[in-house]
Amino acid sequence: GEEIVIKVIRPGIDKIIRDDISLLHSIAALVETRIQGGSRLRLREVVRDYEHVISDELNLLSEAANTSQLGRNFLNSPVLYVPKVYWDYCRENVMVMERIYGIPVSQIKELKAAGINIKKLAETGVEIFFTQVFNHSFFHADMHPGNVFVSREHKENPQYIALDCAIIGSLSKADQQYLARNLLAIFKQDYR
């Protein structure tokens, strides 16, 4: 009796991705060795990083685990809702999760028409970011508008809904301190 969403890895997509990555490796090597100053771009390193990220996105058990962890981090949170994963039905190439309804965060007119407090929504977004990065050191690293919705139910204190947790980041304490120092410097500069 529950509504669900089933995410499936398209059969054969792994070979297409491997072929594309191989082509990217060749282009990166060509640019780094044949174009003056091309080595400064470190394109081979960029392609290796991308290869790692895209490979993780092909494992839906990894995404399900990330989703569940993010959900535990924000369990009963008024600011971020993460849909439930139905683990009994998940496989490396299939993920089953709770169906959610909300407004895509990029639909400003629809958010305003629904009576969502936009100023509070922006403040809440910053709060979620800082909580993920500094408190949990486990953050959704693919927060484009297609992966972020807003609940219609909490107009004055908006609640975000996070989807597609395939790409997750974490920071060491040193990285957190570096980021905090840089953010502080930006805020100080903006408020002078």
Side-chain angles (χ1 to χ4, degrees):
E2 296 179 43
E3 291 187 54
I4 60 168
V5 172
I6 302 172
K7 183 174 183 176
V8 179
I9 298 294
R10 189 171 70 196
I13 194 68
D14 53 337
K15 184 191 179 326
I16 293 169
I17 290 173
R18 279 195 313 271
D19 291 348
D20 289 350
I21 294 291
S22 178
L23 179 61
L24 288 173
H25 279 296
S26 298
I27 292 170
L30 189 65
V31 168
E32 285 190 1
T33 58
R34 303 278 174 118
I35 295 178
Q36 184 178 2
S39 62
R40 288 184 297 139
L41 299 174
R42 299 166 54 186
L43 292 178
R44 288 187 260 203
E45 185 178 332
V46 170
V47 172
R48 279 192 303 273
D49 287 347
Y50 178 71
E51 183 176 15
H52 176 73
V53 168
I54 196 75
S55 295
D56 281 352
E57 287 201 69
L58 292 176
N59 182 346
L60 295 181
L61 287 176
S62 176
E63 180 176 342
N66 292 339
T67 303
S68 292
Q69 181 61 53
L70 188 63
R72 283 190 298 275
N73 289 351
F74 284 90
L75 189 62
N76 300 317
S77 170
V79 296
L80 182 66
Y81 183 79
V82 181
K84 176 183 172 187
V85 173
Y86 294 93
W87 277 98
D88 291 344
Y89 305 103
C90 293
R91 305 288 179 271
E92 189 171 319
N93 62 344
V94 177
M95 182 176 160
V96 180
M97 62 190 298
E98 170 187 5
R99 170 78 164 98
I100 60 96
Y101 292 94
I103 303 168
V105 74
S106 61
Q107 302 300 316
I108 304 301
K109 286 181 184 176
E110 191 175 344
L111 290 167
K112 287 180 178 179
I116 302 297
N117 182 331
I118 301 297
K119 181 179 184 300
K120 180 69 174 163
L121 181 67
E123 291 168 355
T124 299
V126 173
E127 176 187 338
I128 291 168
F129 170 78
F130 285 139
T131 299
Q132 288 182 81
V133 170
F134 294 111
N135 291 2
H136 303 151
S137 190
F138 186 88
F139 57 91
H140 195 304
D142 193 20
M143 295 296 283
H144 61 77
N147 291 342
V148 183
F149 285 70
V150 178
S151 171
R152 294 176 185 275
E153 297 172 22
H154 310 280
K155 297 178 185 325
E156 278 307 310
N157 293 301
Q159 183 182 46
Y160 283 88
I161 304 167
L163 300 175
D164 192 356
C165 298
I167 304 173
I168 291 288
S170 66
L171 297 176
S172 67
K173 288 292 181 196
D175 288 340
Q176 287 174 323
Q177 290 171 351
Y178 176 80
L179 179 59
R181 281 192 308 272
N182 283 290
L183 287 171
L184 185 60
I186 290 168
F187 289 134
K188 282 182 176 178
Q189 185 177 21
D190 285 347
Y191 292 105
R192 284 187 189 166

